[in-house]
Amino acid sequence: MDIALEEAKKAGQIGEVPIGAIIIAENGEVVASAYNRTIEQVDPTAHAEILALRQAALSANNYRLLNTSLYVTVEPCLMCMGAIVHARVRQVIYGAKDPKWGAAGSLYNFSEDVRLNHSVKIVQGVREEKCRELMQAFFRAKRA
């Protein structure tokens, strides 16, 4: 999660919402790292998770990311959880909950929807306080 937090800080430094994500292979290798870039790329899909999924898929030369773990500083949204399910990521580990957009337990819970053809293990609250503080500080500064 520390690497994801460093990625999130990069986003905040360029005025993006500070969310960072990394993907870890089964052997523990970091295969992708990314941060939010929706403003910079003029792309509403350029969330940290989506960018990390794209990078990992290119690296693996496979759109299926079996046996991988995605670490992200904030609970994934609907779009990101949809992509995570499609990619067959094994587990998502996140820091802070997102009660307004979260789709891994807060607003929705894609991981427990038996109608989907893949189930993602969810681990929440890893470095939660640090992840939440980073978001709160960013939005406090924006409002000031």
Side-chain angles (χ1 to χ4, degrees):
M1 187 61 78
D2 290 334
I3 299 169
L5 278 162
E6 289 305 313
E7 291 295 313
K9 290 175 187 174
K10 292 177 190 176
Q13 291 168 352
I14 62 168
E16 299 273 3
V17 175
I19 297 175
I22 63 168
I23 296 179
I24 307 289
E26 192 172 26
N27 66 4
E29 176 188 0
V30 176
V31 293
S33 60
Y35 53 91
N36 273 7
R37 299 172 83 178
T38 57
I39 298 166
E40 181 184 74
Q41 293 188 4
V42 193
D43 180 356
T45 70
H47 290 196
E49 301 95 321
I50 299 293
L51 297 174
L53 289 168
R54 289 175 183 164
Q55 189 181 114
L58 285 171
S59 174
N61 197 32
N62 191 340
Y63 68 102
R64 298 285 191 232
L65 300 173
L66 304 173
N67 300 315
T68 59
S69 298
L70 185 144
Y71 287 76
V72 61
T73 56
V74 176
E75 180 181 358
C77 71
L78 300 163
M79 173 185 67
C80 293
M81 276 305 293
I84 289 163
V85 168
H86 278 291
R88 308 297 195 272
V89 170
R90 181 175 46 101
Q91 71 176 344
V92 170
I93 300 97
Y94 72 85
K97 290 184 177 186
D98 187 347
K100 293 183 180 179
W101 288 97
S106 292
L107 185 62
Y108 296 99
N109 196 342
F110 281 23
S111 66
E112 292 183 358
D113 192 330
V114 296
R115 297 170 296 178
L116 299 175
N117 64 349
H118 177 69
S119 179
V120 180
K121 179 183 176 192
I122 303 294
V123 177
Q124 62 183 20
V126 175
R127 302 289 315 270
E128 180 176 8
E129 188 174 325
K130 184 68 178 166
C131 294
R132 185 177 48 253
E133 286 173 2
L134 187 61
M135 290 288 283
Q136 289 173 339
F138 175 80
F139 284 109
R140 255 193 313 276
K142 282 277 193 199
R143 288 189 293 271

